[in-house]
Amino acid sequence: MATNGNGNGDGVVGSEKINTDIITLTRFLTEEQTKHKEATGDFTLLCHALQFAFKSIAYYIRRATLINLTGLAGSSNTTGDDQKKLDVIGNDLFISAMRSCARVRLLVSEEEEEAIAFDEHPNARYAVMCDPIDGSSNLDAGVSVGTIFGIIKLPEGAKGTKEDLLKPGTELVASGFTMYGASAQLVITMKGGSVNGFTMDNALGEFILTHPNMRVPKQRAIYSVNEGNSLYWEEPIKEYVNSLKYPQEGGKPYSARYIGSMVADAYRTLLYGGIFAYPADKKSPKGKLRILYECAPMALVFENAGGQAVDSKMRRMLEVVPEHIHDRSGIFLGSYDEVQKVIDTHKKYAK
């Protein structure tokens, strides 16, 4: 008879070796909490609420076509995008999860014009910023979409207003994203910590640690950008992208990979290296992506994984302060050396 476990976490069933020492997201968070004697458990409870929201969204995305959740909901969100039915459901799930955990004072969502203050929890010390379903315009085509989130800890005496949120990304205590594709992949990082990736096991109903201590390769000849906007690009961007496509004699051109969903493009870049870019241009002078719940959370992930992230003015993305909760920015993120090439190209034009 087979035994399940031999003391080192590996059970053997027939000829198959089975890992019985599984690290779930719940276990991971609990073990991280024990490393901090001052921890109250509030952050861990907040992460459990986020985890439930991710699982719920993953479930509805898998079932979307079967239960008529594809298509438009008939309205637009605060940033002018047409809302899909799943946008509305994802937003409602997030609001409910953040309210019920009683650890969140403020919530910013792409789908809500104003920050939501949970006045029933006046002593809650955290604020969450999220894009519940990023890339939802791709949903009906079955393209991977995702959730992006950032968490900040409010200072003592904070009044719980949206002004408390207009802080640089250096104030983030944690951030990450979940990609809903062939499987649900969760990537999470804490301030000053490593980047860890989890995969949803639908049979167990748990996120399992599958990519510990993720590091983005220092360089890789892959670029990801919407070249349909090249007509509106500033000269430094045109020169940079052309240098990738038409290298000097003897050089090899970069490969282009662009999905059109930030989470999917960023996740591929995190795994394989290269650069993801969505620069500001003449059509969108401030850029298209939102600072609080898209650019800053992604920047923290990539910096903690050994990469770089800058805005279209070549400022460190984590140091950019939003002017309002839905403020936008251009962004370049990815492998350290690849982003440095963009910075170096811009320096020539700054002289």
Side-chain angles (χ1 to χ4, degrees), residues 291-305:
I291 297 172
L292 272 182
Y293 44 83
E294 290 176 323
C295 297
M298 283 293 189
L300 182 62
V301 169
F302 274 81
E303 282 203 8
N304 283 358

Side-chain angles (χ1 to χ4, degrees), residues 11 33 84 98 171 228 281 300 322:
Q33 180 184 323
K84 297 280 186 175
M98 295 303 96
E171 295 294 316
D281 54 34
L300 182 62

Side-chain angles (χ1 to χ4, degrees), residues 86-350:
L86 273 167
D87 278 324
V88 177
I89 291 173
N91 186 54
D92 289 347
L93 283 167
F94 242 90
I95 294 172
S96 177
M98 295 303 96
R99 174 182 282 118
S100 62
C101 78
R103 299 301 183 275
V104 177
R105 185 75 176 87
L106 289 167
L107 172 65
V108 173
S109 168
E110 184 194 14
E111 309 301 329
E112 299 288 338
E113 185 173 354
E114 298 292 337
I116 298 172
F118 299 122
D119 294 329
E120 63 268 40
H121 307 305
N123 297 320
R125 291 267 61 87
Y126 289 98
V128 175
M129 295 79 70
C130 73
D131 184 349
I133 303 184
D134 177 74
S136 57
S137 60
N138 293 310
L139 269 170
D140 295 357
V143 176
S144 296
V145 297
T147 299
I148 309 172
F149 67 93
I151 305 170
I152 64 172
K153 189 171 185 179
L154 299 174
E156 291 291 335
K159 297 179 180 178
T161 63
K162 62 184 179 183
E163 285 70 31
D164 294 323
L165 301 167
L166 302 182
K167 304 284 180 64
T170 50
E171 295 294 316
L172 288 167
V173 296
S175 75
F177 58 86
T178 304
M179 186 184 76
Y180 311 105
S183 57
Q185 306 279 344
L186 167 63
V187 173
I188 188 169
T189 190
M190 280 72 164
K191 187 174 185 177
S194 59
V195 178
N196 292 281
F198 298 79
T199 302
M200 182 67 185
D201 185 322
N202 292 319
L204 294 176
E206 291 279 3
F207 280 105
I208 308 299
L209 180 64
T210 51
H211 298 74
N213 193 25
M214 300 177 77
R215 305 294 294 175
V216 62
K218 203 163 188 290
Q219 56 186 28
R220 189 72 183 274
I222 300 173
Y223 74 100
S224 178
V225 64
N226 182 359
E227 293 194 69
N229 291 325
S230 59
L231 176 66
Y232 309 106
W233 288 347
E234 301 291 346
E235 286 305 315
I237 308 300
K238 290 180 180 179
E239 179 182 328
Y240 166 70
V241 174
N242 282 334
S243 73
L244 306 183
K245 296 160 64 176
Y246 311 108
Q248 295 179 350
E249 190 173 344
K252 186 179 179 182
Y254 277 46
S255 297
R257 299 284 186 272
Y258 187 69
I259 298 168
S261 171
M262 185 189 189
V263 169
D265 282 311
Y267 187 57
R268 185 199 58 250
T269 303
L270 181 64
L271 289 176
Y272 303 140
I275 187 168
F276 168 80
Y278 207 128
D281 54 34
K282 295 169 185 174
K283 186 174 65 173
S284 304
K286 291 204 76 173
K288 287 281 286 183
L289 300 178
R290 273 66 59 152
I291 297 172
L292 272 182
Y293 44 83
E294 290 176 323
C295 297
M298 283 293 189
L300 182 62
V301 169
F302 274 81
E303 282 203 8
N304 283 358
Q308 284 197 85
V310 298
D311 71 356
S312 287
K313 296 179 181 178
M314 300 299 106
R315 298 176 296 183
R316 182 188 178 204
M317 192 69 243
L318 284 178
E319 295 177 353
V320 176
V321 181
E323 296 175 7
H324 55 84
I325 61 173
H326 297 294
D327 200 7
R328 300 173 186 256
S329 173
I331 192 169
F332 299 83
L333 57 78
S335 298
Y336 192 96
D337 288 356
E338 304 303 335
V339 176
Q340 191 61 44
K341 291 176 184 176
V342 184
I343 298 171
D344 293 342
T345 303
H346 276 76
K347 283 179 180 176
K348 293 192 297 183
Y349 285 81

